[in-house]
Amino acid sequence: AQKVTQAQTEISVVEKEDVTLDCVYETRDTTYYLFWYKQPPSGELVFLIRRNSFDEQNEISGRYSWNFQKSTSSFNFTITASQVVDSAVYFCALSRDSGGGADGLTFGKGTHLIIQP
Amino acid sequence: DAGVIQSPRHEVTEMGQEVTLRCKPISGHDYLFWYRQTMMRGLELLIYFNNNVPIDDSGMPEDRFSAKMPNASFSTLKIQPSEPRDSAVYFCASRQIDVGGTEAFFGQGTRLTVV
């Protein structure tokens, strides 16, 4: 069975601080995909990043960066110089490889990030 | 493209009534997923389709729930009869087939309240 653990239920920081959201996953599959989604107060789910299990290269996109480490089964997400607009619930998710890409997603419980001005 | 379109956005119904949620996936997408979000259980996969065929319905909670995809541009999730514990936000998502693993795009969700 697959499992995603986001141990941080809620994080509150002051604007411009850096913040890291933790994600630990469990799977018996050798090929899988990892994702991060953002859910702002409006409720929609916004895709942020996808990672294949065979690609451990870290990625940076603007103020966002992701650290994928298979040795510790972790896929952590860092926001640098946080802004109030980053306030949202962030979900880490895991899926099998269906042969045609990512299977259905197993989500973590989410981390509620609050950026205070 | 307009993205994944779900209707209605909000639904309030009485216990025992039939509820039908609708989804129009992004044109050209081969996979369609139904998820449910509750405070207690978080986001759960209910069922997904590939080329209109149900592939995995192991997440469907019970026989009161059923999902169909009669064609590539439309899917329904039906609850009959509805119960208060079915109250949740139901999301539909779609993605293209890609051996590299594309991401799923989500609709805005349908907030269902069963009273």
Side-chain angles (χ1 to χ4, degrees), chain B residues 40-100:
Chain B
M40 290 296 294
R41 300 176 66 88
L43 278 156
E44 306 173 277
L45 174 67
L46 299 177
I47 185 172
Y48 79 92
F49 297 82
N50 178 16
N51 290 325
N52 313 335
V53 176
I55 302 300
D56 183 357
D57 65 355
S58 59
M60 296 285 264
E62 47 195 279
D63 292 345
R64 297 185 297 105
F65 286 70
S66 62
K68 294 182 179 179
M69 193 165 185
N71 56 62
S73 60
F74 183 66
S75 176
T76 59
L77 178 67
K78 184 179 293 186
I79 308 173
Q80 165 66 13
S82 57
E83 296 182 3
R85 60 192 168 120
D86 301 331
S87 297
V89 180
Y90 291 81
F91 286 101
C92 176
S94 70
R95 73 163 180 88
Q96 290 178 308
I97 185 170
D98 184 349
V99 293

Side-chain angles (χ1 to χ4, degrees), chain A residues 33 35 37 39 43-45 47 50 52 91 97-105 107 109, chain B residues 31 33 35 37 40-43 45 48 91 95 97-104 106 108:
Chain A
Y33 301 93
F35 302 80
Y37 281 84
Q39 187 172 43
E44 71 271 25
L45 284 160
F47 165 79
R50 179 196 75 233
N52 300 341
F91 291 96
D97 182 353
S98 68
D103 207 335
L105 298 169
F107 283 90
K109 294 295 187 184
Chain B
Y31 287 79
F33 305 85
Y35 291 88
Q37 184 176 30
M40 290 296 294
R41 300 176 66 88
L43 278 156
L45 174 67
Y48 79 92
F91 286 101
R95 73 163 180 88
I97 185 170
D98 184 349
V99 293
T102 61
E103 60 275 14
F106 284 77
Q108 297 278 65

Side-chain angles (χ1 to χ4, degrees), chain A residues 11-16 82-84 87 113-117:
Chain A
I11 299 175
S12 181
V13 300
V14 177
E15 197 173 21
K16 298 184 182 178
S82 59
Q83 300 177 2
V84 173
S87 297
L113 179 62
I114 302 168
I115 310 297
Q116 300 184 28

Side-chain angles (χ1 to χ4, degrees), chain A residues 24-87:
Chain A
V24 175
Y25 63 93
E26 297 176 29
T27 181
R28 295 180 180 176
D29 298 315
T30 55
T31 305
Y32 51 89
Y33 301 93
L34 294 162
F35 302 80
W36 277 94
Y37 281 84
K38 174 182 179 179
Q39 187 172 43
S42 52
E44 71 271 25
L45 284 160
V46 179
F47 165 79
L48 295 178
I49 190 172
R50 179 196 75 233
R51 238 330 159 239
N52 300 341
S53 55
F54 48 84
D55 181 4
E56 287 193 71
Q57 189 172 14
N58 292 330
E59 184 159 337
I60 298 174
S61 176
R63 297 183 297 104
Y64 295 172
S65 63
W66 291 269
N67 185 326
F68 176 29
Q69 292 194 340
K70 287 182 76 171
S71 60
T72 56
S73 297
S74 65
F75 187 42
N76 296 336
F77 173 31
T78 297
I79 301 175
T80 302
S82 59
Q83 300 177 2
V84 173
V85 294
D86 296 327
S87 297

